[in-house]
Amino acid sequence: MVFARKVWKLLVGIKDGLVLIFMLLFFALLYAVLTMRPSAEAVRDGALFLQLDGVVVEEPSPIDPFEAIFAPGELVTEYRARDLVASIEDAAEDDRIKAVVLDLSRFLGGGFVHMQEIGAALEAASEAGKPVYVHSLFYTDDSMLLAAHADEVWLDPLGAALIAGPGGEGLYFGGLLDRLNINVRVYKVGTFKDAVEPFSQQRASPESLAARQALYDDLWELYRQEVVRARPDMQIERITSAPAEWIEGANGDTAQAALDAGLVDKLGSWEEFGEYIADKVGESRWDESAGAFAHTDFDTYDANRSVDEPGRPIAVVTVAGEIVDGDAGPGTAGGDRIADLIDEAATDDDLAALVLRVDSPGGSVTASDAIRRALLRVKAKDIPIVVSMANVAASGGYWVSTPADRIFAEPGTITGSIGIFGIIPTFEDFLADYDVYTDGVRTTPLSGQPDPIAGFTPEIDRIIQANIEAGYARFVGIVAENRGWDPARVDTVGQGRVWSGVAARQNGLVDAMGGLNTALAYAAEAAELGEGEWHARYLGTERQQFGTLIEQLTRDERGTDAVARDVISYAAQRRKLALQLASVRMERLVGGAAGMQALCLECEAGVAARPIADEGGFWTRLASYLR
């Protein structure tokens, strides 16, 4: 019997081993299938068709194939801004492309700077003889800014077009946390550093409101100037100063109101629009559905673009999303990952210059400084460093910009916010309401501290505040050294205040206005390189010829729950974004904001619209289940 039991255990062990091996092989094969990239299709004669079912970003987040399958919510498609611009620019010179057509019915925006960049490319295509046509069920601020650069703007007869302008209200949890007797310990430096206020107050401070009003006034004026320049007949004052009267004047018909006010040129269904485009560019030979026309979609066209790389490389490193410690990203700015990219670039003896492209509201001070120190190591080799700011480069986003020889921003960039804070909730009073207390002995004032359950001693409070003040002094000192200013001057434009790119240029926080191409040209000039003697090399975000199979299979499903088809669904979408932002902030309070933070409150909406970074992903969680 003993021998039989041993044989049985051996057989069971072999069986379990074989099952494990086959499971691993199965998952490995499944992963390979889901992540394989199909070959590029050919570009067809007709239109370049940009069906933007998602959001435009500086740097897309990678898609975990298993998350795409098993995620409980919808996945939002992310389009890299520079890929869209490059495809439109190439199409302007491509004889196969007769027009550029955009479908913005499921478009979720992407920020003023990115809309300007894409809009400029659309204008250039139109001037090159490639007319631009746009159709949507609903236009909002960003989609209207894009559409304004088109030759013809169409709207569904049941649709609407509304321009809200920047600004709005956010949630403040101070009263709720007081009622729950949760002590939110706030440590900060900066009169205008208002990222802590949602947790400590019931309303925004007068300083916060004043700073935000000045910022939004700048951004609103820039927006109005841009749309009126591109679309002079638009009655923007009418539709924004008295929107209810405007809609009521059209008997509640939002589509007719948009037509009357010059926001759109024609009303028509997608099928009618498609037939109109087919007359311009030709009928589709592969699709017989109503509204089909000859076209090449963005993925196919982008996959077939050729990239010319003459001369020496100018490295472009992207800092996009919230800055966090570790290797997170792309799409989230993991400090260690980005520092490694910068160090890797510096090992290339042929490197001519480095451009840091920043589109970040900031975040961890330690991660921001890791990126800054990596840039200083490059600078020590006499390699020119230039910063290009996109939609946002505030707080930690400005911290990482300080080593630059020159900082470029767009007029609509949000920057500054030079300030530091820390937030730690403690629960001693909350527990006392339920007769739960703590007790013990200490050998020093720091014994057992910091203790979020029993509360903080006065000594630990003083130590943390002193550390925050030292962090702010360091921030001010870094800026002063880079700008060649006295620290007192930095403090006057610091204190956590945010500025538009225009205001930042006026107060000296940035050196010049211009986009990424301007920054690259300046970097080439600093490296004493002429035209044709250099090329941009984007590090860490290589352009793939095609999305993975799972990306393409799930694309039709992504963003379908976020379609704003009328005013009611638009309101629902705004509510959803507000709840996402509230969730991000509460996550930050409870456990997401470890350590000192240099983060911009006014810049957080973009963070809420994107998925929270998960460095481990599916495989890490699978491994944890098998342990």
Side-chain angles (χ1 to χ4, degrees), residues 242-569:
E245 289 83 351
W246 164 52
I247 298 298
E248 288 169 350
N251 297 318
D253 187 335
T254 52
Q256 186 62 46
L259 182 65
D260 294 342
L263 277 77
V264 303
D265 299 303
K266 296 181 180 179
L267 302 182
S269 66
W270 174 257
E271 291 76 16
E272 292 169 331
F273 174 75
E275 291 175 2
Y276 179 81
I277 299 299
D279 288 338
K280 303 288 185 181
V281 304
E283 297 181 356
S284 174
R285 292 184 294 168
W286 300 272
D287 185 355
E288 296 182 357
S289 62
F293 52 89
H295 72 271
T296 300
D297 61 36
F298 166 68
D299 283 337
T300 300
Y301 196 80
D302 185 58
N304 283 278
R305 281 195 300 111
S306 60
V307 179
D308 189 21
E309 296 187 343
R312 296 175 61 190
I314 294 177
V316 181
V317 176
T318 302
V319 179
E322 187 170 345
I323 301 174
V324 299
D325 295 290
D327 296 321
T332 300
D336 292 344
R337 177 181 64 85
I338 294 172
D340 288 344
L341 287 174
I342 295 169
D343 286 334
E344 179 184 348
T347 62
D348 185 352
D349 294 334
D350 202 33
L351 181 67
L354 187 145
V355 173
L356 193 74
R357 176 68 166 176
V358 183
D359 192 23
S360 171
S364 164
V365 168
T366 53
S368 300
D369 205 52
I371 297 170
R372 184 189 71 89
R373 294 195 307 270
L375 290 171
L376 289 176
R377 290 192 289 272
V378 175
K379 195 169 187 176
K381 298 182 177 182
D382 294 325
I383 297 173
I385 296 176
V386 180
V387 163
S388 170
M389 294 179 170
N391 290 302
V392 180
S395 291
Y398 193 84
W399 185 300
V400 302
S401 302
T402 54
D405 300 306
R406 195 164 184 82
I407 297 175
F408 289 89
E410 298 278 17
T413 298
I414 299 175
T415 188
S417 193
I418 299 169
I420 301 288
F421 73 90
I423 307 173
I424 307 175
T426 61
F427 301 91
E428 64 275 19
D429 294 337
F430 172 79
L431 293 173
D433 287 342
Y434 298 91
D435 291 328
V436 178
Y437 303 94
T438 60
D439 202 359
V441 297
R442 295 191 179 99
T443 54
T444 76
L446 299 183
S447 295
Q449 290 291 315
D451 188 338
I453 303 301
F456 290 0
T457 62
E459 288 81 2
I460 199 68
D461 270 331
R462 289 164 57 190
I463 288 171
I464 295 175
Q465 181 61 36
N467 187 236
I468 294 293
E469 291 174 2
Y472 179 69
R474 178 172 174 79
F475 200 166
V476 168
I478 289 170
V479 176
E481 181 181 2
N482 172 258
R483 298 278 94 190
W485 293 354
D486 184 271
R489 181 180 174 185
V490 179
D491 192 50
T492 61
V493 298
Q495 292 290 322
R497 181 158 185 167
V498 290
W499 307 91
S500 67
V502 171
R505 175 66 183 90
Q506 292 170 347
N507 64 36
L509 285 176
V510 303
D511 298 300
M513 296 287 96
L516 179 57
N517 288 338
T518 305
L520 284 165
Y522 181 88
E525 183 180 347
E528 299 181 347
L529 297 175
E531 186 176 351
E533 296 178 344
W534 62 275
H535 67 275
R537 177 180 295 171
Y538 296 91
L539 302 183
T541 56
E542 293 82 3
R543 183 172 66 94
Q544 299 288 349
Q545 276 217 319
F546 243 90
T548 61
L549 178 62
I550 193 62
E551 288 180 64
Q552 296 184 61
L553 291 176
T554 59
R555 172 155 292 183
D556 288 342
E557 301 301 322
R558 285 184 255 160
T560 54
D561 294 339
V563 180
R565 295 184 180 273
D566 53 27
V567 177
I568 302 300
S569 55

Side-chain angles (χ1 to χ4, degrees), residues 599-622:
L599 189 68
C600 168
L601 177 68
E602 292 77 10
C603 319
E604 286 187 306
V607 176
R610 301 186 66 166
I612 296 174
D614 180 359
E615 293 186 37
F618 174 83
W619 293 109
T620 300
R621 290 194 293 279
L622 178 61

Side-chain angles (χ1 to χ4, degrees), residues 1-120:
M1 288 296 294
V2 174
F3 176 76
R5 281 198 298 270
K6 289 182 178 181
V7 171
W8 177 252
K9 287 182 179 180
L10 176 62
L11 293 174
V12 169
I14 293 172
K15 183 264 295 181
D16 290 343
L18 290 173
V19 169
L20 179 60
I21 290 171
F22 281 116
M23 284 184 63
L24 291 174
L25 289 174
F26 170 76
F27 279 114
L29 179 61
L30 180 60
Y31 186 84
V33 169
L34 293 178
T35 56
M36 72 179 182
R37 299 183 181 274
S39 59
E41 299 176 21
V43 175
R44 298 166 177 167
D45 289 353
L48 171 60
F49 182 36
L50 306 178
Q51 186 174 20
L52 302 183
D53 295 349
V55 61
V56 172
V57 298
E58 186 65 35
E59 181 181 58
S61 304
I63 294 178
D64 185 321
F66 289 93
E67 292 288 350
I69 296 174
F70 300 115
E74 78 276 6
L75 295 174
V76 177
T77 305
E78 296 177 344
Y79 300 90
R80 195 194 320 270
R82 72 168 184 267
D83 291 343
L84 289 168
V85 170
S87 291
I88 296 168
E89 289 176 343
D90 285 3
E93 307 298 328
D94 191 335
D95 292 337
R96 297 168 296 181
I97 301 300
K98 305 297 187 294
V100 179
V101 178
L102 289 83
D103 177 10
L104 301 180
S105 294
R106 293 182 172 88
F107 183 52
L108 301 179
F112 181 72
V113 170
H114 287 152
M115 297 304 100
Q116 272 194 312
E117 293 170 342
I118 299 170

